Amino acid sequence: MKKNKFLAIILLSFSLILGSCSKDDNGETTDPADDVTGTPQLQPGTDEPEAIDLSAYDNGSRVMMQAFYWDVEPRFAWWDNLSEKVPGWADAGVERIWIPSPAKGQSGGYSMGYDPSDYFDFGNFEQHGTVETRFGSREELENLIAVSHDNDVEVIADIVLNHNSGGGLQYNPYRDYETYTLFNEENGNASGMFNRTYEDFYPNSVSEYDPGSLFYAETNLDHHRERVQDWLWKNDNSVAKYYKNVMGFDGWRFDYVKGFEPWVVKEWNEAVGGFSVGENFDGNPDVLRDWIEASGSPAFDFSTFYKLEESLDRYEDLTNLEKDMLWKTHPESAVTFTANHDTEKDSEEDNYIMTSNKMKAYAYILTHPGYPTIFYSDYENENFKEELKTLISIHNSIAAGDTEILYVDQDEYVMKRSGTGTNPGLILYISLNNSTKRRTVSSNWNNVTLMDYSGNSTYKPTSDENGMVQIEAPAKAYAIYSITE
């Protein structure tokens, strides 16, 4: 017994000696003298550093707000709800709001706008069981646009250009049965503008070709027909020109662009201009790049969305962030996001970023190149709002310059933005580890004390004369470092 007790004491002592210089799970030595509780690591005799004024480094970048979620409530009051929120969003750094398809759908007061019936009924015609749309009246929509413009915020309309819904029955000789392809004043088109028949949909006397649609195949508009082009974007009273010149919309989000050819978007934008983005629901960056080249329009960066989901959720492996993404080759055309009305609607395992990882995903898109979109339900979540305001402020100020990955492994990711001119740039450190992590990296700042502008860490390291600095990320969180005064 005594021999075993003595052996245990020796083993315990040996383990304590080894513990005085431990290694993290990636093999980097962690100095036990480092205080990982957040005590500032300042040079002896120096004063407490002060944060720089981020507004002094305005880089001209802003963000877009997706101003809705699926099945918004309250019904008939959404435009008024947004009108109240726009001034605060503008103060936070939002320059555009993307609203749902604003015209009357077949589902009437329950429609989210993606079953378009009358492109010119904004809540001012009695049809499909209601005058107002789910979102409110035309007057309330016009007020929202006016309030937004008063706050220097653009309004982006969701445009559904292929599938229609809510017309009347008529015999369709090209299908040899009755189809719901009659749109007139008595059948789903009370405005009387852009009346349609089976000749305006695939197939018809002009076109056999149908690019395909997952929705309402019998009422998939044929964009090759001159009449359809005239009503959608060419004529002075076309959908595009009416939305821009009469309603005051500033740009377009094109729904389900897989359902029609990219030249349609190109011609629309050439006719009316404005900001545009296409929903090409595909995680393959080559597919997105091909569509951008053909349409001339930016696209939502589903490749980055899925890489974030894989990295943070599905595989818990941050090395996926080294892979190809749209923003890496086309940053000016990549509209990045972490959630939208579709991904949040179903919350499918591989089509959704978990709530616990949302802010790490936002930290990524708000520090990297690309044009970030904030999701309404995330921003209006009181658990996220202040953190998102901080990230937007960082994005609009010091997220500038070239991007370089300084370190990446399964549970750590460190990225540097080099800054431009007097703009200092930043270093993002994301960790999936259960413990506080430290990593020594190369910065652009020599002999400068840094701080975490996200507020997640109070650790304030000082770089050496060569710019080397040890930064810290809290457990399962992130930090964003830059210089101090």
Side-chain angles (χ1 to χ4, degrees), residues 5 13 25 173 175 179 242 248 258 262 281-282 285 313 320 360 394 415 431 439 448:
K5 184 176 181 180
S13 300
D25 56 3
R175 292 186 179 270
T179 54
Y242 193 95
K258 287 181 179 291
F281 210 126
D282 202 306
D313 289 351
N320 285 292
K360 290 190 281 291
I394 291 170
M415 180 277 298
S431 174
R439 178 65 57 185
V448 175

Side-chain angles (χ1 to χ4, degrees), residues 15-303:
S15 67
L16 289 173
I17 292 172
L18 287 177
S20 68
C21 187
S22 64
K23 290 179 178 270
D24 66 20
D25 56 3
N26 296 307
E28 178 172 285
T29 300
T30 303
D31 186 346
D34 285 338
D35 181 359
V36 296
T37 63
T39 302
Q41 304 296 295
L42 305 179
Q43 298 290 350
T46 59
D47 296 328
E48 177 74 16
E50 295 185 5
I52 58 174
D53 177 8
L54 294 183
S55 66
Y57 297 94
D58 187 345
N59 59 22
S61 299
R62 296 294 182 268
V63 302
M64 180 166 68
M65 176 74 72
Q66 179 179 357
F68 65 99
Y69 55 91
W70 196 256
D71 288 345
V72 296
E73 296 288 348
R75 291 192 304 122
F76 309 118
W78 193 250
W79 299 146
D80 284 344
N81 171 57
L82 297 184
S83 294
E84 294 176 1
K85 294 185 180 298
V86 162
W89 291 349
D91 289 342
V94 173
E95 67 173 351
R96 293 186 175 104
I97 61 170
W98 154 32
I99 67 170
S101 182
K104 188 72 62 65
Q106 180 182 17
S107 303
Y110 293 92
S111 173
M112 281 298 296
Y114 296 97
D115 53 347
S117 180
D118 188 338
Y119 285 99
F120 296 91
D121 178 1
F122 300 97
N124 50 305
F125 290 98
E126 172 68 54
Q127 58 183 331
H128 299 307
T130 181
V131 173
E132 294 189 356
T133 67
R134 184 187 190 104
F135 315 111
S137 68
R138 173 171 177 154
E139 182 181 5
E140 290 163 349
L141 172 59
E142 290 172 332
N143 179 65
L144 168 61
I145 295 171
V147 169
S148 299
H149 290 169
D150 287 344
N151 286 273
D152 296 321
V153 173
E154 292 187 352
V155 183
I156 308 306
D158 209 314
I159 303 295
V160 184
L161 288 181
N162 62 324
H163 52 277
N164 288 181
S165 184
L169 271 175
Q170 63 178 171
Y171 175 71
N172 187 334
Y174 304 104
R175 292 186 179 270
D176 195 24
Y177 57 83
E178 287 191 317
T179 54
Y180 289 94
T181 47
L182 178 62
F183 290 80
N184 57 25
E185 289 88 336
E186 293 76 35
N187 296 276
N189 200 55
S191 69
M193 302 174 71
F194 194 18
N195 286 336
R196 285 146 279 164
T197 71
Y198 54 74
E199 283 286 358
D200 298 306
F201 304 99
Y202 291 105
N204 53 54
S205 60
V206 174
S207 303
E208 288 288 338
Y209 172 75
D210 185 346
S213 174
L214 293 177
F215 314 98
Y216 316 108
E218 295 172 341
T219 49
N220 191 24
L221 282 169
D222 178 5
H223 302 98
H224 294 91
R225 290 188 64 85
E226 191 71 23
R227 183 176 180 279
V228 172
Q229 296 177 21
D230 288 344
W231 271 110
L232 285 181
W233 67 83
K234 287 185 174 179
N235 287 350
D236 288 342
N237 60 345
S238 64
V239 174
K241 292 178 182 176
Y242 193 95
Y243 277 42
K244 179 180 180 181
N245 300 329
V246 178
M247 296 303 294
F249 287 108
D250 305 288
W252 329 102
R253 181 266 187 185
F254 294 101
D255 180 64
Y256 187 59
V257 298
K258 287 181 179 291
F260 54 95
E261 296 139 300
W263 61 263
V264 173
V265 169
K266 191 176 187 67
E267 289 202 11
W268 175 295
N269 285 333
E270 288 173 351
V272 293
F275 172 84
S276 77
V277 57
E279 183 212 27
N280 196 328
F281 210 126
D282 202 306
N284 184 336
D286 287 332
V287 171
L288 301 177
R289 283 188 280 261
D290 289 345
W291 186 85
I292 288 169
E293 293 299 326
S295 69
S297 171
F300 281 110
D301 191 353
F302 281 90
S303 64

Side-chain angles (χ1 to χ4, degrees), residues 305-454:
F305 169 78
Y306 282 114
K307 285 295 173 287
L308 286 169
E309 188 278 325
E310 291 169 3
S311 301
L312 299 172
D313 289 351
R314 196 184 317 181
Y315 305 128
E316 295 185 338
D317 184 355
L318 295 178
T319 61
N320 285 292
L321 297 178
E322 291 185 290
K323 296 179 180 178
D324 188 19
M325 295 178 241
L326 178 62
W327 74 259
K328 293 185 178 184
T329 58
H330 292 66
E332 71 290 344
S333 297
V335 181
T336 52
F337 66 99
T338 67
N340 64 33
H341 59 296
D342 285 322
T343 65
E344 296 290 307
K345 177 175 61 177
D346 298 325
S347 300
E348 295 178 6
E349 181 179 353
D350 295 340
N351 200 39
Y352 169 81
I353 295 176
M354 291 190 301
T355 300
S356 59
N357 286 321
K358 276 279 186 71
M359 299 313 297
K360 290 190 281 291
Y362 273 113
Y364 183 93
I365 70 169
L366 287 161
T367 55
H368 286 69
Y371 182 48
T373 302
I374 312 299
F375 184 53
Y376 176 95
S377 298
D378 291 336
Y379 189 88
E380 293 302 322
N381 181 337
E382 291 303 321
N383 294 322
F384 291 160
K385 179 177 281 189
E386 293 307 314
E387 193 169 354
L388 279 171
K389 284 183 179 180
T390 297
L391 286 172
I392 293 170
S393 177
I394 291 170
H395 170 268
N396 294 357
S397 57
I398 56 175
D402 295 336
T403 306
E404 179 185 355
I405 297 178
L406 300 179
Y407 182 84
V408 64
D409 64 16
Q410 184 170 346
D411 63 359
E412 290 180 80
Y413 176 85
V414 186
M415 180 277 298
K416 177 173 69 176
R417 296 295 297 273
S418 64
T420 56
T422 59
N423 192 312
L426 56 80
I427 295 177
L428 169 70
Y429 190 0
I430 299 175
S431 174
L432 301 183
N433 198 274
N434 291 320
S435 303
T436 299
K437 300 286 290 187
R438 294 272 175 86
R439 178 65 57 185
T440 299
V441 296
S442 174
S443 76
N444 290 350
W445 314 303
N446 301 335
N447 300 314
V448 175
T449 298
L450 311 181
M451 66 176 289
D452 169 24
Y453 282 82
S454 75

